[in-house]
Amino acid sequence: QVQLVESGGGLVQAGGSLRLSCAASGRTVSNYTMGWFRQAPGKEREFVAAIRWSRPSTDYSDSVKGRFTISRDNAKNTVYLQMNSLKPKDTAVYYCAAVRYGSIWYSESYDYWGQGTQVSVSS
């Protein structure tokens, strides 16, 4: 089993930056694909970014590409999401997820989820 705990969320003004962390425990996730999703109030959960273990390679949604960067530190069993040039539309609860195999773009593919961390961007 894998337990995931997100941290680093908070309140920031538009144009600012935040760095989210996802600490995994229970087992190493160095050979897992790790993803970040977000969900705004009243909206569906949305894919944000993912990093594969095999190369590694990364993927981003069009809405965050060029502003967000996903990375991982396997020695710390931790995944990060660096968020720059934040916009009010980025306001959401951000979730970390993990899967050994599966399609990275769909939430139903992931086996493990964190509790989420709130990111609020003011205008």
Side-chain angles (χ1 to χ4, degrees):
Q1 300 298 118
V2 177
Q3 293 79 46
L4 304 173
V5 179
E6 304 96 334
S7 62
L11 181 64
V12 65
Q13 291 193 344
S17 298
L18 285 173
R19 184 180 176 91
L20 305 183
S21 298
C22 174
S25 61
R27 64 180 64 182
T28 179
V29 294
S30 61
N31 60 343
Y32 281 68
T33 291
M34 304 296 297
W36 286 98
F37 291 78
R38 66 187 183 186
Q39 188 167 23
K43 295 189 176 182
E44 298 294 320
R45 190 168 298 183
E46 175 190 15
F47 171 79
V48 176
I51 183 166
R52 305 176 195 268
W53 63 267
S54 58
R55 294 192 174 94
S57 61
T58 58
D59 289 278
Y60 300 91
S61 69
D62 290 340
S63 63
V64 307
K65 191 172 185 178
R67 300 188 296 122
F68 292 9
T69 302
I70 187 171
S71 62
R72 67 196 306 164
D73 186 338
N74 288 334
K76 296 182 178 180
N77 215 29
T78 299
V79 180
Y80 305 96
L81 185 68
Q82 178 67 46
M83 305 185 295
N84 298 326
S85 301
L86 283 163
K87 304 174 181 179
K89 67 179 181 180
D90 295 318
T91 295
V93 176
Y94 283 70
Y95 297 91
C96 177
V99 64
R100 181 65 178 87
Y101 297 106
S103 178
I104 64 171
W105 294 277
Y106 305 105
S107 61
E108 59 265 29
S109 295
Y110 289 80
D111 296 319
Y112 306 101
W113 292 85
Q115 83 289 348
T117 185
Q118 178 71 50
V119 172
S120 299
V121 184
S122 62
S123 59

